[in-house]
């Protein structure tokens, strides 16, 4: 394999036929280049769209109440439904429900710290809400069960509030006045998805019940399911609807009465689309690649034909069939691997370049305070190294395959036939 | 050195079979200088293929240097060929992108001899044939006679027991042909068995034994440089032409 003579011989044949080798290599390089660009673009699309799901847990479900649209059990339509703590407890006991939090909005209040103040929204929730919303805790901690138990006047504020009110002061342990009520800051959270914003304060639900007259009423329920399939998740959705229909006496078929957003369903559907896109990308890419490889095989057949005489001489002088196969195979692998590498390098460079430019642009937008709330379609259009390496392996295998048949043909050359003058 | 017993060989193309060698019995001793003659289709190329272990035979026995050659794997055949036989061809068959020295060294490459050593040996052999100044030249920069001398050096470098030459002078003018034959005679004097396939009577006449093939059999055997009788036959043939 690492025999200087063999390599010299391969190089000298390649040198003798520069244009032919270049064209062959170009077909392969083009194939792999297209594969990389397509895969990169597919990844970009997939990364862009799935980044829109990152703000929440992907298996989250959101339930809110509306008005009935069908008369049921003696009630007229148009009745508003009010979710209550009993719904929270009943749904929390369901089999596939993992984390659950009730939500209650207190509405806009003035937040004041020392001489700084601003108007922000306050939301009451359970400790599980952190996982459902996929909050990142920047400093401090989130609401815990003890806060809940004692209805403590504690608050987790969004990073935006920290920036606005706490300039250079560590907010943890500071007292923030919400309206007239003092709250102790226990943590600061951040959102992964910048669209959601961090302009609200979170307090324990029990605190809201005591201080803000929430009583048993809740506005909204958020939950995550266990690791279940899309079908099971849809079943959970239906069970919740039936349960609430029974508790609140509305028609279970009344889709208007209760709103449910199932992010898993959406996520799975979106991901399915991308899986299909990816599949097509691979199909097209590999198709292009095969065209290139058939080209290599073709060229190698011609090379073998041209070198019949030389191969005959070698055999007469004592070359074994193995050494002849090795010669042709190595040349084929060399051309495909080198050309493939060049194509891959160019493809990856292009996609990395596009990625770099996009990131620059995104940063400029963030700097200008623009980017928020935009639905992203395209992000990080790069191919990861694992795929690139496996594509490379594929190429070398393909090169070997492309060379194999010509090589076998070469090894079956009968020396005397090859050496006879025509 | 070479013993053939009742050798048969047929070629099959589709449903047709062509019986080329029909029971050849032949003995060539070590150090003999033999030529094989015959019209085209008489089976001389086939015979050379068999002798050179480049093809298998159907029936009979072929002993080369005391070893029975039969149904050898390609690998073993290649090895045996490399160690025992040297080939010289009509059209020289040098590899065009290698210089004279590298061409001569090629058999040693297949023996696994290291590059430096085999190139040094190749230079020695080129020197013997008076070609040392041309060692770095490519084949297309050499004259026909020089090319054939390079080819002879290549055949000799593996120190073979038998040299098989297929029309070695076929592409050369008379004077160069005689020079090449002189070289072959010199090699013969060193004790190497030489078998030449030729259709030129004057070339054949320089050998010690002439085997004439006719329709797959040995038609005539002219032994021991019996030049007088051969020349008579030769003259007769010329008359009948």
């Amino acid at each position: 394999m690492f025999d200087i003579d063999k390599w010299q011989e391969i190089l000298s044949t390649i040198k003798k036929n520069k244009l032919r080798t270049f064209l062959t290599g170009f077909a392969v390089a083009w194939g792999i280049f297209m594969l990389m660009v397509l895969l990169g673009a597919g990844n970009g699309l997939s990364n862009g769209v799935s980044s829109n799901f990152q703000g929440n847990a992907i298996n989250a479900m959101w339930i809110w109440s509306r008005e009935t649209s069908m008369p049921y059990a003696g009630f007229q339509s148009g009745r508003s439904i009010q979710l209550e703590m009993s719904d929270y407890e009943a749904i929390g006991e369901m089999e596939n429900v993992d984390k659950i939090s009730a939500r209650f909005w207190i509405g806009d209040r003035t937040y004041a710290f020392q001489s700084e103040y601003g108007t922000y929204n306050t939301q009451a929730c359970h400790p599980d809400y952190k996982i459902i919303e996929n909050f990142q805790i920047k400093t401090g901690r989130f609401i815990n069960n003890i806060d809940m138990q004692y209805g403590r006047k504690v608050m987790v504020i969004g990073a935006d509030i920290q920036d606005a009110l706490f300039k250079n002061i560590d907010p943890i342990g500071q007292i923030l006045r919400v309206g007239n009520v003092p709250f102790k800051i226990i943590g600061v959270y951040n959102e992964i998805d910048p669209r959601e914003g961090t302009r609200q304060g979170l307090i324990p639900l029990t605190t809201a019940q005591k201080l803000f007259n929430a009583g048993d009423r809740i506005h909204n329920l958020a939950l995550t399911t266990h690791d279940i399939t899309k079908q099971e998740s849809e079943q959970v959705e239906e069970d919740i609807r039936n349960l609430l229909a029974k508790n609140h006496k509305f028609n279970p078929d009344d889709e208007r009465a209760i709103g449910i957003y199932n992010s898993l369903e959406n996520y799975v559907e979106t991901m399915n689309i991308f899986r299909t896109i990816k599949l097509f990308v691979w199909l097209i890419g590999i198709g292009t690649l095969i065209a290139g490889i058939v080209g290599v095989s073709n060229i190698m057949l011609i090379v073998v034909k041209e070198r019949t005489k030389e191969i005959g001489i070698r055999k007469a002088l004592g070359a074994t069939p193995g050494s002849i196969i090795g010669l042709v195979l190595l040349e084929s692998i060399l051309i495909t691997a080198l050309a493939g590498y060049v194509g891959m390098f160019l493809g990856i460079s292009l996609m990395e370049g596009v990625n770099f430019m996009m990131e620059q642009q995104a940063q400029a937008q963030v700097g200008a305070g623009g980017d928020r709330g935009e639905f992203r379609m395209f992000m990080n259009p790069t191919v990861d190294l694992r795929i690139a390496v496996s594509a490379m392996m594929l190429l070398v295998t393909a090169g070997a395959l492309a060379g194999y048949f010509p090589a076998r043909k070469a090894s079956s050359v009968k020396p005397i036939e090859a050496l006879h003058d025509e | 050195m070479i013993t053939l017993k009742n050798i048969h060989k047929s070629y099959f193309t589709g449903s047709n079979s062509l019986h080329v060698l029909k029971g050849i019995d032949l003995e060539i001793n070590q150090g003999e200088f033999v030529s094989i003659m015959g019209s085209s289709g008489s089976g001389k190329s086939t015979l050379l293929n068999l002798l050179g272990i480049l093809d298998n035979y159907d029936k009979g026995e072929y002993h080369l240097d005391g070893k029975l050659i039969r149904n050898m794997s390609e690998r073993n055949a290649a090895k045996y060929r490399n160690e025992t036989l040297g080939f010289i061809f009509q059209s020289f068959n040098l590899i065009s992108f290698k210089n004279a020295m590298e061409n001569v060294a090629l058999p040693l490459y297949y023996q696994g001899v290291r590059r430096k050593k085999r190139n040094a040996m190749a230079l020695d052999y080129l020197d013997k044939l008076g070609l040392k100044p041309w060692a770095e030249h490519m084949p297309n920069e050499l004259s026909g006679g020089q090319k054939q001398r390079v080819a002879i050096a290549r055949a000799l470098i593996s120190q073979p027991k038998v040299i098989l030459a297929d029309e070695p002078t076929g592409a050369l003018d008379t004077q160069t042909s005689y020079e090449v034959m002189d070289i072959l005679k010199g090699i013969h004097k060193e004790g190497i068995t030489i078998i030449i396939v030729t259709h030129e009577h004057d070339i054949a006449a320089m050998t010690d034994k002439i085997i004439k093939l006719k329709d797959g059999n040995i038609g005539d055997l002219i032994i021991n440089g019996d030049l007088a009788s051969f020349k008579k036959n030769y003259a007769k043939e010329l008359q009948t032409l």
Side-chain angles (χ1 to χ4, degrees), chain A residues 272-320:
Chain A
N272 275 342
I273 293 171
F274 285 113
R275 204 166 306 142
T276 318
I277 291 176
K278 225 170 224 177
L279 195 76
F280 271 105
V281 162
W282 273 102
L283 269 179
I284 295 167
I286 286 177
T288 322
L289 214 57
I290 286 174
I293 286 157
V294 167
V296 173
S297 198
N298 236 330
I299 292 292
M300 291 317 290
L301 272 175
I302 295 171
V303 166
V304 166
K305 182 108 189 137
E306 271 183 6
R307 292 175 71 183
T308 303
K309 197 169 184 129
E310 182 207 326
I311 290 166
I313 300 168
R314 288 173 183 277
K315 287 186 103 175
L317 296 180
T320 56

Side-chain angles (χ1 to χ4, degrees), chain A residues 5 9 309 314 317 416, chain B residues 49 82 93 98 115 118:
Chain A
D5 291 271
E9 269 157 38
K309 197 169 184 129
R314 288 173 183 277
L317 296 180
I416 285 290
Chain B
N49 279 358
N82 183 274
N93 286 332
K98 288 174 169 286
R115 187 178 181 78
R118 65 172 193 259

Side-chain angles (χ1 to χ4, degrees), chain B residues 33 87-92 144-145 148-149 151-152 163-172 176-177 180-181 184 194-200 203:
Chain B
F33 193 7
F87 287 89
I88 299 169
F89 306 97
Q90 176 178 10
S91 46
F92 326 124
Q148 196 59 299
R149 278 188 282 165
I152 291 170
I163 283 188
L164 298 173
D166 186 11
E167 305 268 10
T169 58
L172 303 174
T176 324
S177 292
V180 166
M181 284 310 288
L184 289 179
I194 298 179
I195 300 169
I196 297 176
V197 170
T198 184
H199 62 266
E200 288 165 90
I203 297 297

Side-chain angles (χ1 to χ4, degrees), chain A residues 3-6 8-9 12-13 16 307 309-310 313-324 327 411-421, chain B residues 11 45 48-49 54-55 74-76 78-79 81-82 85 87 89-98 102-103 106-107 109-110 115 118 154-155 166:
Chain A
D3 184 334
I4 294 173
D5 291 271
K6 203 167 239 178
Q8 270 182 340
E9 269 157 38
S12 62
T13 44
K16 262 200 330 190
R307 292 175 71 183
K309 197 169 184 129
E310 182 207 326
I313 300 168
R314 288 173 183 277
K315 287 186 103 175
L317 296 180
T320 56
S323 75
I324 299 289
L327 205 63
S411 80
S412 68
V413 164
K414 287 249 179 267
I416 285 290
E417 281 162 35
L419 299 178
H420 255 285
D421 296 293
Chain B
Y11 286 112
S45 289
L48 197 71
N49 279 358
L54 297 167
D55 208 346
E74 284 220 48
R75 211 185 146 72
N76 282 337
K79 189 167 177 284
R81 208 149 50 215
N82 183 274
L85 302 171
F87 287 89
F89 306 97
Q90 176 178 10
S91 46
F92 326 124
N93 286 332
L94 301 176
I95 292 173
S96 59
F97 54 84
K98 288 174 169 286
E102 288 165 338
N103 263 293
L106 197 59
Y109 166 63
Y110 288 114
R115 187 178 181 78
R118 65 172 193 259
R154 183 176 67 184
D166 186 11

